Amino acid sequence: MEQGAYGAGKAGGAFDPQTFIRQPHTILRMVSWLFSIVVFGGIVNEGYVNRPEEKEEYCIFNRNQNACNYGITVGVLAFLSCLLYLALDVYFPQISSVKDRKKAVLSDIGVSGLWAFLWFVSFCFLADQWRVSKKENNPFNEGADAARAAITFSLFSVFTWVGQSFLAFQRYQLGADSALFSQDYTDPSQEAGMPYAPYTNEDDTIDSMGTYQQAPSADAFDAEAQGYQAQDY
């Protein structure tokens, strides 16, 4: 595929699903999408337990509702972000403006870096709350696997989102090099309002000079007059 600005083909090209799926940033987005499902899905389904004598369920992470709420919120928003940027990746080759492509890549760098940070906070928060959880609050050890999975995949998500940010930065560097001359370029003569000088071919000039014939001089007219003789009638 012929490369255009910021690592994508030129606008108007046909969409190739196989090439799209094989791209590294597409693979990382799909993996991050699956990790987010594991985190918020595990907490929603098995992240709330109670004692045998209790009816109300509490967060499995030390009964801290904020821990479960944070894990669910980050997971759901990361899930939606992955879908959004997957859609943007599909539409990206159709973007003809170099400036718009630049904005998309820069947003990818910033959003991916932000999610890497949020997932790191999630890992630290959930791991700490799981560490201080009391066994008497969950005597049957219900939902322990889901809690460990949420902690583990929060850590894995840090690396996948860092990888997305790194790949986006590489695309930005590639785009900066390929679009260096074409972006915001104006011809100096047009900017100054000066018209182009008329083009003159040197050979045409020489030919026109060679075919020019000089007008006859006054001496030639006198000689011709002397050679004329009047006739008597």
Side-chain angles (χ1 to χ4, degrees), residues 49-89:
V49 296
N50 56 358
R51 296 175 183 175
E53 66 275 9
E54 294 177 340
K55 293 183 179 181
E56 184 178 358
E57 293 182 340
Y58 297 91
C59 179
I60 195 173
F61 296 100
N62 195 31
R63 295 201 165 193
N64 188 344
Q65 296 297 114
N66 293 328
C68 287
N69 291 337
Y70 184 86
I72 294 173
T73 302
V74 171
V76 171
L77 293 179
F79 172 84
L80 297 176
S81 296
C82 289
L83 293 180
L84 175 63
Y85 275 91
L86 281 172
L88 179 61
D89 290 337

Side-chain angles (χ1 to χ4, degrees), residues 13-67:
F15 175 72
D16 186 1
Q18 294 183 353
T19 303
F20 173 74
I21 294 175
R22 293 173 183 174
Q23 292 177 341
H25 60 271
T26 302
I27 296 174
L28 282 178
R29 292 199 206 284
M30 296 178 68
V31 172
S32 300
W33 179 72
L34 292 175
F35 287 175
S36 65
I37 295 177
V38 173
V39 174
F40 79 81
I43 297 176
V44 170
N45 292 327
E46 302 182 39
Y48 294 90
V49 296
N50 56 358
R51 296 175 183 175
E53 66 275 9
E54 294 177 340
K55 293 183 179 181
E56 184 178 358
E57 293 182 340
Y58 297 91
C59 179
I60 195 173
F61 296 100
N62 195 31
R63 295 201 165 193
N64 188 344
Q65 296 297 114
N66 293 328

